[in-house]
Amino acid sequence: MQFEKKISLVTGANRGIGKAIAKKLLEKNVIVIGTATQPEGVKKISKYLHGQGLGIQLNICDSISIKLCLEKIKKNFGLINILINNAGITQDNLLIKMKENQWDSVINTNLTGTYRISKEVIPGMLKKNYGRIVNIGSVSGFVGNPGQTNYSASKFGLIGFTHSLSREVAKRGITVNMICPGFIDTDMTRILSEKHKEKILSFIPINRFGSTKDVAHAAIFLASDEASYITGETIHVNGGMYMK
């Protein structure tokens, strides 16, 4: 896979799936800029990048924060070739108990945040007639999950966003695709009880939780030149839990 002289931006890169994707990009000698919302996360990113990129604090709910982040990247490295929209949050609650701020914050981060940063990155890709955008969704966006009406809505919204944007920019050498992970072995799933884990595994034909590397491998492919004829698509990385 050809990645020479590519510059990538991975949001939410301080842990989990974002970190795994960033580290895989490093292995391909891509310059990686990883973002986190807190200074502690930025330090973690800069530490594992080993000088082959930069950790930057970013609030994807704040347009000014996005502009400042992209200006710093442009000044130090140039225009972004690869954008991995990974940053996201959960604030689970049953709908009848869900507070409006829980709904708003999840939609604003997971869906509107992707809109904001993609809108600012695409002009640079248009100048180069080249770009790769990979949005990280969730199996919850397809099958739903009790207590996650906000999260599921935000991730299903990304599907329509991906389809529409891919049609807008395809003629300019920019692809826009999506990965929908199932249950992945991360901090969020490790806190589940053994009984809950067993119940989840009963729905996964491969009979294990995925690893962050499983998702990263798919992201690396979609970000590569080998995937230049793939756009507007969703790759499901869920061990067979959901099939389409």
mmCIF file with all atom_site columns, all heavy atoms in Angstrom, residues 50-75:
data_model
loop_
_atom_site.group_PDB
_atom_site.id
_atom_site.type_symbol
_atom_site.label_atom_id
_atom_site.label_alt_id
_atom_site.label_comp_id
_atom_site.label_asym_id
_atom_site.label_entity_id
_atom_site.label_seq_id
_atom_site.pdbx_PDB_ins_code
_atom_site.Cartn_x
_atom_site.Cartn_y
_atom_site.Cartn_z
_atom_site.occupancy
_atom_site.B_iso_or_equiv
_atom_site.pdbx_formal_charge
_atom_site.auth_seq_id
_atom_site.auth_comp_id
_atom_site.auth_asym_id
_atom_site.auth_atom_id
_atom_site.pdbx_PDB_model_num
ATOM 1   N N   . HIS A 1 50 ? 6.269   9.328  18.746 1.00 0.00 ? 50 HIS A N   1
ATOM 2   C CA  . HIS A 1 50 ? 7.735   9.349  18.667 1.00 0.00 ? 50 HIS A CA  1
ATOM 3   C C   . HIS A 1 50 ? 8.252   10.358 17.623 1.00 0.00 ? 50 HIS A C   1
ATOM 4   O O   . HIS A 1 50 ? 9.176   10.068 16.862 1.00 0.00 ? 50 HIS A O   1
ATOM 5   C CB  . HIS A 1 50 ? 8.276   7.962  18.318 1.00 0.00 ? 50 HIS A CB  1
ATOM 6   C CG  . HIS A 1 50 ? 7.923   6.903  19.310 1.00 0.00 ? 50 HIS A CG  1
ATOM 7   N ND1 . HIS A 1 50 ? 8.331   6.936  20.632 1.00 0.00 ? 50 HIS A ND1 1
ATOM 8   C CD2 . HIS A 1 50 ? 7.180   5.773  19.174 1.00 0.00 ? 50 HIS A CD2 1
ATOM 9   C CE1 . HIS A 1 50 ? 7.869   5.873  21.265 1.00 0.00 ? 50 HIS A CE1 1
ATOM 10  N NE2 . HIS A 1 50 ? 7.157   5.150  20.412 1.00 0.00 ? 50 HIS A NE2 1
ATOM 11  N N   . GLY A 1 51 ? 7.631   11.528 17.567 1.00 0.00 ? 51 GLY A N   1
ATOM 12  C CA  . GLY A 1 51 ? 8.106   12.566 16.658 1.00 0.00 ? 51 GLY A CA  1
ATOM 13  C C   . GLY A 1 51 ? 7.629   12.444 15.226 1.00 0.00 ? 51 GLY A C   1
ATOM 14  O O   . GLY A 1 51 ? 7.898   13.324 14.400 1.00 0.00 ? 51 GLY A O   1
ATOM 15  N N   . GLN A 1 52 ? 6.911   11.367 14.903 1.00 0.00 ? 52 GLN A N   1
ATOM 16  C CA  . GLN A 1 52 ? 6.405   11.184 13.539 1.00 0.00 ? 52 GLN A CA  1
ATOM 17  C C   . GLN A 1 52 ? 4.994   11.752 13.429 1.00 0.00 ? 52 GLN A C   1
ATOM 18  O O   . GLN A 1 52 ? 4.071   11.126 12.923 1.00 0.00 ? 52 GLN A O   1
ATOM 19  C CB  . GLN A 1 52 ? 6.400   9.697  13.162 1.00 0.00 ? 52 GLN A CB  1
ATOM 20  C CG  . GLN A 1 52 ? 6.184   9.450  11.662 1.00 0.00 ? 52 GLN A CG  1
ATOM 21  C CD  . GLN A 1 52 ? 6.239   7.975  11.314 1.00 0.00 ? 52 GLN A CD  1
ATOM 22  O OE1 . GLN A 1 52 ? 7.085   7.248  11.827 1.00 0.00 ? 52 GLN A OE1 1
ATOM 23  N NE2 . GLN A 1 52 ? 5.345   7.529  10.441 1.00 0.00 ? 52 GLN A NE2 1
ATOM 24  N N   . GLY A 1 53 ? 4.835   12.947 13.934 1.00 0.00 ? 53 GLY A N   1
ATOM 25  C CA  . GLY A 1 53 ? 3.531   13.584 13.929 1.00 0.00 ? 53 GLY A CA  1
ATOM 26  C C   . GLY A 1 53 ? 3.367   14.464 15.146 1.00 0.00 ? 53 GLY A C   1
ATOM 27  O O   . GLY A 1 53 ? 4.345   14.957 15.714 1.00 0.00 ? 53 GLY A O   1
ATOM 28  N N   . LEU A 1 54 ? 2.132   14.624 15.587 1.00 0.00 ? 54 LEU A N   1
ATOM 29  C CA  . LEU A 1 54 ? 1.863   15.576 16.649 1.00 0.00 ? 54 LEU A CA  1
ATOM 30  C C   . LEU A 1 54 ? 0.533   15.270 17.332 1.00 0.00 ? 54 LEU A C   1
ATOM 31  O O   . LEU A 1 54 ? -0.431  14.874 16.687 1.00 0.00 ? 54 LEU A O   1
ATOM 32  C CB  . LEU A 1 54 ? 1.807   16.989 16.057 1.00 0.00 ? 54 LEU A CB  1
ATOM 33  C CG  . LEU A 1 54 ? 1.670   18.175 16.999 1.00 0.00 ? 54 LEU A CG  1
ATOM 34  C CD1 . LEU A 1 54 ? 2.926   18.331 17.836 1.00 0.00 ? 54 LEU A CD1 1
ATOM 35  C CD2 . LEU A 1 54 ? 1.418   19.443 16.184 1.00 0.00 ? 54 LEU A CD2 1
ATOM 36  N N   . GLY A 1 55 ? 0.508   15.440 18.635 1.00 0.00 ? 55 GLY A N   1
ATOM 37  C CA  . GLY A 1 55 ? -0.744  15.371 19.381 1.00 0.00 ? 55 GLY A CA  1
ATOM 38  C C   . GLY A 1 55 ? -1.273  16.781 19.561 1.00 0.00 ? 55 GLY A C   1
ATOM 39  O O   . GLY A 1 55 ? -0.517  17.695 19.904 1.00 0.00 ? 55 GLY A O   1
ATOM 40  N N   . ILE A 1 56 ? -2.556  16.972 19.310 1.00 0.00 ? 56 ILE A N   1
ATOM 41  C CA  . ILE A 1 56 ? -3.153  18.304 19.395 1.00 0.00 ? 56 ILE A CA  1
ATOM 42  C C   . ILE A 1 56 ? -4.467  18.223 20.168 1.00 0.00 ? 56 ILE A C   1
ATOM 43  O O   . ILE A 1 56 ? -5.254  17.295 19.977 1.00 0.00 ? 56 ILE A O   1
ATOM 44  C CB  . ILE A 1 56 ? -3.438  18.893 17.986 1.00 0.00 ? 56 ILE A CB  1
ATOM 45  C CG1 . ILE A 1 56 ? -2.138  19.108 17.217 1.00 0.00 ? 56 ILE A CG1 1
ATOM 46  C CG2 . ILE A 1 56 ? -4.197  20.214 18.098 1.00 0.00 ? 56 ILE A CG2 1
ATOM 47  C CD1 . ILE A 1 56 ? -2.344  19.701 15.835 1.00 0.00 ? 56 ILE A CD1 1
ATOM 48  N N   . GLN A 1 57 ? -4.698  19.224 21.015 1.00 0.00 ? 57 GLN A N   1
ATOM 49  C CA  . GLN A 1 57 ? -5.961  19.298 21.727 1.00 0.00 ? 57 GLN A CA  1
ATOM 50  C C   . GLN A 1 57 ? -7.031  19.841 20.788 1.00 0.00 ? 57 GLN A C   1
ATOM 51  O O   . GLN A 1 57 ? -6.819  20.826 20.071 1.00 0.00 ? 57 GLN A O   1
ATOM 52  C CB  . GLN A 1 57 ? -5.831  20.207 22.951 1.00 0.00 ? 57 GLN A CB  1
ATOM 53  C CG  . GLN A 1 57 ? -7.046  20.157 23.877 1.00 0.00 ? 57 GLN A CG  1
ATOM 54  C CD  . GLN A 1 57 ? -6.781  20.870 25.198 1.00 0.00 ? 57 GLN A CD  1
ATOM 55  O OE1 . GLN A 1 57 ? -5.680  21.345 25.454 1.00 0.00 ? 57 GLN A OE1 1
ATOM 56  N NE2 . GLN A 1 57 ? -7.797  20.940 26.040 1.00 0.00 ? 57 GLN A NE2 1
ATOM 57  N N   . LEU A 1 58 ? -8.172  19.155 20.752 1.00 0.00 ? 58 LEU A N   1
ATOM 58  C CA  . LEU A 1 58 ? -9.232  19.557 19.826 1.00 0.00 ? 58 LEU A CA  1
ATOM 59  C C   . LEU A 1 58 ? -10.597 19.276 20.429 1.00 0.00 ? 58 LEU A C   1
ATOM 60  O O   . LEU A 1 58 ? -10.847 18.188 20.950 1.00 0.00 ? 58 LEU A O   1
ATOM 61  C CB  . LEU A 1 58 ? -9.096  18.798 18.504 1.00 0.00 ? 58 LEU A CB  1
ATOM 62  C CG  . LEU A 1 58 ? -10.248 18.961 17.500 1.00 0.00 ? 58 LEU A CG  1
ATOM 63  C CD1 . LEU A 1 58 ? -10.302 20.397 16.988 1.00 0.00 ? 58 LEU A CD1 1
ATOM 64  C CD2 . LEU A 1 58 ? -10.106 17.978 16.346 1.00 0.00 ? 58 LEU A CD2 1
ATOM 65  N N   . ASN A 1 59 ? -11.473 20.237 20.319 1.00 0.00 ? 59 ASN A N   1
ATOM 66  C CA  . ASN A 1 59 ? -12.879 20.077 20.677 1.00 0.00 ? 59 ASN A CA  1
ATOM 67  C C   . ASN A 1 59 ? -13.674 20.136 19.382 1.00 0.00 ? 59 ASN A C   1
ATOM 68  O O   . ASN A 1 59 ? -13.852 21.208 18.801 1.00 0.00 ? 59 ASN A O   1
ATOM 69  C CB  . ASN A 1 59 ? -13.315 21.174 21.634 1.00 0.00 ? 59 ASN A CB  1
ATOM 70  C CG  . ASN A 1 59 ? -14.790 21.071 22.001 1.00 0.00 ? 59 ASN A CG  1
ATOM 71  O OD1 . ASN A 1 59 ? -15.486 20.152 21.589 1.00 0.00 ? 59 ASN A OD1 1
ATOM 72  N ND2 . ASN A 1 59 ? -15.278 22.040 22.764 1.00 0.00 ? 59 ASN A ND2 1
ATOM 73  N N   . ILE A 1 60 ? -14.135 18.974 18.896 1.00 0.00 ? 60 ILE A N   1
ATOM 74  C CA  . ILE A 1 60 ? -14.821 18.963 17.606 1.00 0.00 ? 60 ILE A CA  1
ATOM 75  C C   . ILE A 1 60 ? -16.219 19.569 17.667 1.00 0.00 ? 60 ILE A C   1
ATOM 76  O O   . ILE A 1 60 ? -16.897 19.669 16.638 1.00 0.00 ? 60 ILE A O   1
ATOM 77  C CB  . ILE A 1 60 ? -14.892 17.546 17.001 1.00 0.00 ? 60 ILE A CB  1
ATOM 78  C CG1 . ILE A 1 60 ? -15.672 16.589 17.907 1.00 0.00 ? 60 ILE A CG1 1
ATOM 79  C CG2 . ILE A 1 60 ? -13.510 17.013 16.715 1.00 0.00 ? 60 ILE A CG2 1
ATOM 80  C CD1 . ILE A 1 60 ? -15.915 15.245 17.258 1.00 0.00 ? 60 ILE A CD1 1
ATOM 81  N N   . CYS A 1 61 ? -16.629 19.988 18.853 1.00 0.00 ? 61 CYS A N   1
ATOM 82  C CA  . CYS A 1 61 ? -17.897 20.699 18.986 1.00 0.00 ? 61 CYS A CA  1
ATOM 83  C C   . CYS A 1 61 ? -17.700 22.213 18.872 1.00 0.00 ? 61 CYS A C   1
ATOM 84  O O   . CYS A 1 61 ? -18.661 22.977 18.949 1.00 0.00 ? 61 CYS A O   1
ATOM 85  C CB  . CYS A 1 61 ? -18.552 20.370 20.323 1.00 0.00 ? 61 CYS A CB  1
ATOM 86  S SG  . CYS A 1 61 ? -19.029 18.644 20.498 1.00 0.00 ? 61 CYS A SG  1
ATOM 87  N N   . ASP A 1 62 ? -16.464 22.630 18.702 1.00 0.00 ? 62 ASP A N   1
ATOM 88  C CA  . ASP A 1 62 ? -16.116 24.053 18.672 1.00 0.00 ? 62 ASP A CA  1
ATOM 89  C C   . ASP A 1 62 ? -15.441 24.388 17.341 1.00 0.00 ? 62 ASP A C   1
ATOM 90  O O   . ASP A 1 62 ? -14.327 23.943 17.076 1.00 0.00 ? 62 ASP A O   1
ATOM 91  C CB  . ASP A 1 62 ? -15.186 24.365 19.841 1.00 0.00 ? 62 ASP A CB  1
ATOM 92  C CG  . ASP A 1 62 ? -14.859 25.847 19.970 1.00 0.00 ? 62 ASP A CG  1
ATOM 93  O OD1 . ASP A 1 62 ? -15.094 26.606 18.999 1.00 0.00 ? 62 ASP A OD1 1
ATOM 94  O OD2 . ASP A 1 62 ? -14.350 26.243 21.033 1.00 0.00 ? 62 ASP A OD2 1
ATOM 95  N N   . SER A 1 63 ? -16.103 25.176 16.518 1.00 0.00 ? 63 SER A N   1
ATOM 96  C CA  . SER A 1 63 ? -15.571 25.520 15.192 1.00 0.00 ? 63 SER A CA  1
ATOM 97  C C   . SER A 1 63 ? -14.244 26.263 15.280 1.00 0.00 ? 63 SER A C   1
ATOM 98  O O   . SER A 1 63 ? -13.357 26.067 14.440 1.00 0.00 ? 63 SER A O   1
ATOM 99  C CB  . SER A 1 63 ? -16.591 26.373 14.423 1.00 0.00 ? 63 SER A CB  1
ATOM 100 O OG  . SER A 1 63 ? -17.772 25.648 14.179 1.00 0.00 ? 63 SER A OG  1
ATOM 101 N N   . ILE A 1 64 ? -14.081 27.104 16.289 1.00 0.00 ? 64 ILE A N   1
ATOM 102 C CA  . ILE A 1 64 ? -12.826 27.853 16.437 1.00 0.00 ? 64 ILE A CA  1
ATOM 103 C C   . ILE A 1 64 ? -11.693 26.891 16.776 1.00 0.00 ? 64 ILE A C   1
ATOM 104 O O   . ILE A 1 64 ? -10.586 27.011 16.241 1.00 0.00 ? 64 ILE A O   1
ATOM 105 C CB  . ILE A 1 64 ? -12.969 28.939 17.535 1.00 0.00 ? 64 ILE A CB  1
ATOM 106 C CG1 . ILE A 1 64 ? -13.976 30.000 17.097 1.00 0.00 ? 64 ILE A CG1 1
ATOM 107 C CG2 . ILE A 1 64 ? -11.603 29.569 17.838 1.00 0.00 ? 64 ILE A CG2 1
ATOM 108 C CD1 . ILE A 1 64 ? -14.250 31.060 18.136 1.00 0.00 ? 64 ILE A CD1 1
ATOM 109 N N   . SER A 1 65 ? -11.949 25.930 17.649 1.00 0.00 ? 65 SER A N   1
ATOM 110 C CA  . SER A 1 65 ? -10.942 24.927 18.003 1.00 0.00 ? 65 SER A CA  1
ATOM 111 C C   . SER A 1 65 ? -10.504 24.150 16.768 1.00 0.00 ? 65 SER A C   1
ATOM 112 O O   . SER A 1 65 ? -9.310  23.878 16.571 1.00 0.00 ? 65 SER A O   1
ATOM 113 C CB  . SER A 1 65 ? -11.497 23.971 19.058 1.00 0.00 ? 65 SER A CB  1
ATOM 114 O OG  . SER A 1 65 ? -10.561 22.965 19.375 1.00 0.00 ? 65 SER A OG  1
ATOM 115 N N   . ILE A 1 66 ? -11.451 23.825 15.903 1.00 0.00 ? 66 ILE A N   1
ATOM 116 C CA  . ILE A 1 66 ? -11.140 23.092 14.670 1.00 0.00 ? 66 ILE A CA  1
ATOM 117 C C   . ILE A 1 66 ? -10.260 23.932 13.755 1.00 0.00 ? 66 ILE A C   1
ATOM 118 O O   . ILE A 1 66 ? -9.254  23.460 13.222 1.00 0.00 ? 66 ILE A O   1
ATOM 119 C CB  . ILE A 1 66 ? -12.434 22.676 13.945 1.00 0.00 ? 66 ILE A CB  1
ATOM 120 C CG1 . ILE A 1 66 ? -13.157 21.595 14.753 1.00 0.00 ? 66 ILE A CG1 1
ATOM 121 C CG2 . ILE A 1 66 ? -12.128 22.156 12.536 1.00 0.00 ? 66 ILE A CG2 1
ATOM 122 C CD1 . ILE A 1 66 ? -14.542 21.245 14.222 1.00 0.00 ? 66 ILE A CD1 1
ATOM 123 N N   . LYS A 1 67 ? -10.608 25.181 13.575 1.00 0.00 ? 67 LYS A N   1
ATOM 124 C CA  . LYS A 1 67 ? -9.838  26.065 12.692 1.00 0.00 ? 67 LYS A CA  1
ATOM 125 C C   . LYS A 1 67 ? -8.408  26.233 13.194 1.00 0.00 ? 67 LYS A C   1
ATOM 126 O O   . LYS A 1 67 ? -7.450  26.184 12.414 1.00 0.00 ? 67 LYS A O   1
ATOM 127 C CB  . LYS A 1 67 ? -10.529 27.428 12.571 1.00 0.00 ? 67 LYS A CB  1
ATOM 128 C CG  . LYS A 1 67 ? -11.801 27.410 11.729 1.00 0.00 ? 67 LYS A CG  1
ATOM 129 C CD  . LYS A 1 67 ? -12.399 28.795 11.614 1.00 0.00 ? 67 LYS A CD  1
ATOM 130 C CE  . LYS A 1 67 ? -13.687 28.785 10.809 1.00 0.00 ? 67 LYS A CE  1
ATOM 131 N NZ  . LYS A 1 67 ? -13.454 28.413 9.387  1.00 0.00 ? 67 LYS A NZ  1
ATOM 132 N N   . LEU A 1 68 ? -8.255  26.438 14.501 1.00 0.00 ? 68 LEU A N   1
ATOM 133 C CA  . LEU A 1 68 ? -6.917  26.606 15.072 1.00 0.00 ? 68 LEU A CA  1
ATOM 134 C C   . LEU A 1 68 ? -6.089  25.333 14.904 1.00 0.00 ? 68 LEU A C   1
ATOM 135 O O   . LEU A 1 68 ? -4.888  25.383 14.603 1.00 0.00 ? 68 LEU A O   1
ATOM 136 C CB  . LEU A 1 68 ? -7.022  26.979 16.549 1.00 0.00 ? 68 LEU A CB  1
ATOM 137 C CG  . LEU A 1 68 ? -7.577  28.376 16.854 1.00 0.00 ? 68 LEU A CG  1
ATOM 138 C CD1 . LEU A 1 68 ? -7.766  28.549 18.358 1.00 0.00 ? 68 LEU A CD1 1
ATOM 139 C CD2 . LEU A 1 68 ? -6.656  29.448 16.298 1.00 0.00 ? 68 LEU A CD2 1
ATOM 140 N N   . CYS A 1 69 ? -6.729  24.193 15.098 1.00 0.00 ? 69 CYS A N   1
ATOM 141 C CA  . CYS A 1 69 ? -6.054  22.898 14.950 1.00 0.00 ? 69 CYS A CA  1
ATOM 142 C C   . CYS A 1 69 ? -5.554  22.722 13.522 1.00 0.00 ? 69 CYS A C   1
ATOM 143 O O   . CYS A 1 69 ? -4.392  22.362 13.296 1.00 0.00 ? 69 CYS A O   1
ATOM 144 C CB  . CYS A 1 69 ? -7.014  21.776 15.328 1.00 0.00 ? 69 CYS A CB  1
ATOM 145 S SG  . CYS A 1 69 ? -6.406  20.113 14.975 1.00 0.00 ? 69 CYS A SG  1
ATOM 146 N N   . LEU A 1 70 ? -6.418  22.992 12.544 1.00 0.00 ? 70 LEU A N   1
ATOM 147 C CA  . LEU A 1 70 ? -6.054  22.782 11.146 1.00 0.00 ? 70 LEU A CA  1
ATOM 148 C C   . LEU A 1 70 ? -5.008  23.792 10.673 1.00 0.00 ? 70 LEU A C   1
ATOM 149 O O   . LEU A 1 70 ? -4.152  23.471 9.842  1.00 0.00 ? 70 LEU A O   1
ATOM 150 C CB  . LEU A 1 70 ? -7.300  22.846 10.264 1.00 0.00 ? 70 LEU A CB  1
ATOM 151 C CG  . LEU A 1 70 ? -8.332  21.740 10.529 1.00 0.00 ? 70 LEU A CG  1
ATOM 152 C CD1 . LEU A 1 70 ? -9.526  21.882 9.597  1.00 0.00 ? 70 LEU A CD1 1
ATOM 153 C CD2 . LEU A 1 70 ? -7.698  20.364 10.372 1.00 0.00 ? 70 LEU A CD2 1
ATOM 154 N N   . GLU A 1 71 ? -5.061  24.997 11.211 1.00 0.00 ? 71 GLU A N   1
ATOM 155 C CA  . GLU A 1 71 ? -4.043  25.995 10.877 1.00 0.00 ? 71 GLU A CA  1
ATOM 156 C C   . GLU A 1 71 ? -2.668  25.546 11.364 1.00 0.00 ? 71 GLU A C   1
ATOM 157 O O   . GLU A 1 71 ? -1.660  25.714 10.668 1.00 0.00 ? 71 GLU A O   1
ATOM 158 C CB  . GLU A 1 71 ? -4.408  27.344 11.494 1.00 0.00 ? 71 GLU A CB  1
ATOM 159 C CG  . GLU A 1 71 ? -5.546  28.061 10.781 1.00 0.00 ? 71 GLU A CG  1
ATOM 160 C CD  . GLU A 1 71 ? -5.972  29.329 11.496 1.00 0.00 ? 71 GLU A CD  1
ATOM 161 O OE1 . GLU A 1 71 ? -5.323  29.687 12.524 1.00 0.00 ? 71 GLU A OE1 1
ATOM 162 O OE2 . GLU A 1 71 ? -6.944  29.964 11.053 1.00 0.00 ? 71 GLU A OE2 1
ATOM 163 N N   . LYS A 1 72 ? -2.630  24.952 12.562 1.00 0.00 ? 72 LYS A N   1
ATOM 164 C CA  . LYS A 1 72 ? -1.367  24.461 13.122 1.00 0.00 ? 72 LYS A CA  1
ATOM 165 C C   . LYS A 1 72 ? -0.826  23.297 12.292 1.00 0.00 ? 72 LYS A C   1
ATOM 166 O O   . LYS A 1 72 ? 0.379   23.224 12.023 1.00 0.00 ? 72 LYS A O   1
ATOM 167 C CB  . LYS A 1 72 ? -1.586  24.013 14.566 1.00 0.00 ? 72 LYS A CB  1
ATOM 168 C CG  . LYS A 1 72 ? -0.309  23.634 15.296 1.00 0.00 ? 72 LYS A CG  1
ATOM 169 C CD  . LYS A 1 72 ? -0.582  23.380 16.774 1.00 0.00 ? 72 LYS A CD  1
ATOM 170 C CE  . LYS A 1 72 ? 0.703   23.074 17.530 1.00 0.00 ? 72 LYS A CE  1
ATOM 171 N NZ  . LYS A 1 72 ? 0.457   22.859 18.985 1.00 0.00 ? 72 LYS A NZ  1
ATOM 172 N N   . ILE A 1 73 ? -1.721  22.416 11.862 1.00 0.00 ? 73 ILE A N   1
ATOM 173 C CA  . ILE A 1 73 ? -1.298  21.283 11.036 1.00 0.00 ? 73 ILE A CA  1
ATOM 174 C C   . ILE A 1 73 ? -0.751  21.777 9.698  1.00 0.00 ? 73 ILE A C   1
ATOM 175 O O   . ILE A 1 73 ? 0.303   21.319 9.239  1.00 0.00 ? 73 ILE A O   1
ATOM 176 C CB  . ILE A 1 73 ? -2.485  20.317 10.803 1.00 0.00 ? 73 ILE A CB  1
ATOM 177 C CG1 . ILE A 1 73 ? -2.910  19.673 12.120 1.00 0.00 ? 73 ILE A CG1 1
ATOM 178 C CG2 . ILE A 1 73 ? -2.107  19.233 9.794  1.00 0.00 ? 73 ILE A CG2 1
ATOM 179 C CD1 . ILE A 1 73 ? -4.215  18.916 12.031 1.00 0.00 ? 73 ILE A CD1 1
ATOM 180 N N   . LYS A 1 74 ? -1.450  22.695 9.073  1.00 0.00 ? 74 LYS A N   1
ATOM 181 C CA  . LYS A 1 74 ? -1.020  23.226 7.774  1.00 0.00 ? 74 LYS A CA  1
ATOM 182 C C   . LYS A 1 74 ? 0.340   23.909 7.880  1.00 0.00 ? 74 LYS A C   1
ATOM 183 O O   . LYS A 1 74 ? 1.214   23.729 7.018  1.00 0.00 ? 74 LYS A O   1
ATOM 184 C CB  . LYS A 1 74 ? -2.059  24.208 7.235  1.00 0.00 ? 74 LYS A CB  1
ATOM 185 C CG  . LYS A 1 74 ? -1.735  24.728 5.846  1.00 0.00 ? 74 LYS A CG  1
ATOM 186 C CD  . LYS A 1 74 ? -2.836  25.664 5.346  1.00 0.00 ? 74 LYS A CD  1
ATOM 187 C CE  . LYS A 1 74 ? -2.508  26.192 3.953  1.00 0.00 ? 74 LYS A CE  1
ATOM 188 N NZ  . LYS A 1 74 ? -3.572  27.114 3.457  1.00 0.00 ? 74 LYS A NZ  1
ATOM 189 N N   . LYS A 1 75 ? 0.528   24.674 8.958  1.00 0.00 ? 75 LYS A N   1
ATOM 190 C CA  . LYS A 1 75 ? 1.785   25.394 9.146  1.00 0.00 ? 75 LYS A CA  1
ATOM 191 C C   . LYS A 1 75 ? 2.954   24.449 9.347  1.00 0.00 ? 75 LYS A C   1
ATOM 192 O O   . LYS A 1 75 ? 4.053   24.670 8.819  1.00 0.00 ? 75 LYS A O   1
ATOM 193 C CB  . LYS A 1 75 ? 1.661   26.338 10.344 1.00 0.00 ? 75 LYS A CB  1
ATOM 194 C CG  . LYS A 1 75 ? 2.917   27.147 10.623 1.00 0.00 ? 75 LYS A CG  1
ATOM 195 C CD  . LYS A 1 75 ? 2.719   28.068 11.813 1.00 0.00 ? 75 LYS A CD  1
ATOM 196 C CE  . LYS A 1 75 ? 3.981   28.867 12.120 1.00 0.00 ? 75 LYS A CE  1
ATOM 197 N NZ  . LYS A 1 75 ? 3.788   29.761 13.299 1.00 0.00 ? 75 LYS A NZ  1
#
